[in-house]
Amino acid sequence: MEDKILISKDILKKIQSRAITIKLVSTDRQITKEAEEILEIINVQLKENSLSLLERIDKKMKETKLSDPELNANLYILYRNLSGGKISEQDADALFELYIKSEPFNKTIY
């Protein structure tokens, strides 16, 4: 499983602000490109972490409805168990990450 670290949103916003400043002030194309990549990484993280776990599960459930019925069913069960309080958020997050990471290997070939 991927190691995770918690960083406050304020720190990410400060890094984002400094990357914007570097992008605007720099005349070097390579530095500007690097600043843009940093901004993109931060934006993805902020967007991803702005959704609750239930919302992320629901979103992935909708994405896999037609393409991967087995994953969709697993996510539905996970969603119901989490929303019903039958599983902790920490356990649900671990299962969600496991399902997502195993998704490419679960494709059924017809």
Short mmCIF file of all heavy atoms in Angstrom, two decimals, residues 37 53 56 58 67 74 77 88-89:
data_model
loop_
_atom_site.label_atom_id
_atom_site.label_comp_id
_atom_site.label_asym_id
_atom_site.label_seq_id
_atom_site.Cartn_x
_atom_site.Cartn_y
_atom_site.Cartn_z
N GLU A 37 4.02 22.20 -13.25
CA GLU A 37 3.84 20.81 -12.84
C GLU A 37 3.55 20.72 -11.34
O GLU A 37 2.70 19.93 -10.91
CB GLU A 37 5.07 19.98 -13.21
CG GLU A 37 5.19 19.76 -14.71
CD GLU A 37 6.43 18.98 -15.10
OE1 GLU A 37 7.05 18.32 -14.23
OE2 GLU A 37 6.79 19.03 -16.28
N LEU A 53 -14.77 10.43 1.75
CA LEU A 53 -14.57 9.05 1.33
C LEU A 53 -15.83 8.50 0.67
O LEU A 53 -15.76 7.84 -0.37
CB LEU A 53 -14.14 8.18 2.51
CG LEU A 53 -13.88 6.71 2.20
CD1 LEU A 53 -12.82 6.56 1.11
CD2 LEU A 53 -13.46 5.97 3.46
N ARG A 56 -16.00 9.83 -2.80
CA ARG A 56 -15.02 9.19 -3.70
C ARG A 56 -15.47 7.80 -4.09
O ARG A 56 -15.34 7.40 -5.25
CB ARG A 56 -13.64 9.14 -3.05
CG ARG A 56 -12.98 10.50 -2.97
CD ARG A 56 -11.55 10.43 -2.51
NE ARG A 56 -11.50 9.89 -1.15
CZ ARG A 56 -10.49 9.23 -0.63
NH1 ARG A 56 -9.41 9.00 -1.34
NH2 ARG A 56 -10.52 8.79 0.61
N ASP A 58 -18.60 6.72 -4.18
CA ASP A 58 -19.75 6.91 -5.07
C ASP A 58 -19.30 7.28 -6.48
O ASP A 58 -19.81 6.74 -7.46
CB ASP A 58 -20.67 7.98 -4.49
CG ASP A 58 -21.96 8.11 -5.28
OD1 ASP A 58 -22.62 7.08 -5.52
OD2 ASP A 58 -22.29 9.25 -5.67
N SER A 67 -18.12 -0.58 -17.02
CA SER A 67 -16.82 -1.12 -17.41
C SER A 67 -16.32 -2.26 -16.53
O SER A 67 -15.59 -3.13 -17.00
CB SER A 67 -15.76 -0.01 -17.43
OG SER A 67 -15.58 0.52 -16.13
N ASN A 74 -18.41 -4.45 -5.51
CA ASN A 74 -17.59 -4.34 -4.29
C ASN A 74 -17.68 -2.93 -3.71
O ASN A 74 -17.77 -2.76 -2.49
CB ASN A 74 -16.13 -4.70 -4.59
CG ASN A 74 -15.93 -6.17 -4.80
OD1 ASN A 74 -16.70 -7.00 -4.33
ND2 ASN A 74 -14.88 -6.51 -5.53
N ILE A 77 -21.08 -2.39 -2.00
CA ILE A 77 -21.11 -3.01 -0.66
C ILE A 77 -20.31 -2.16 0.32
O ILE A 77 -20.74 -1.92 1.45
CB ILE A 77 -20.57 -4.46 -0.73
CG1 ILE A 77 -21.54 -5.34 -1.54
CG2 ILE A 77 -20.35 -5.03 0.67
CD1 ILE A 77 -20.98 -6.69 -1.93
N SER A 88 -15.45 1.05 9.87
CA SER A 88 -14.86 2.36 10.19
C SER A 88 -14.37 3.04 8.92
O SER A 88 -14.11 2.38 7.90
CB SER A 88 -13.69 2.19 11.16
OG SER A 88 -12.57 1.62 10.50
N GLU A 89 -14.22 4.35 8.98
CA GLU A 89 -13.74 5.09 7.82
C GLU A 89 -12.32 4.67 7.46
O GLU A 89 -11.97 4.59 6.29
CB GLU A 89 -13.82 6.60 8.08
CG GLU A 89 -13.54 7.39 6.82
CD GLU A 89 -14.13 8.78 6.83
OE1 GLU A 89 -15.14 9.02 7.50
OE2 GLU A 89 -13.56 9.62 6.13
#
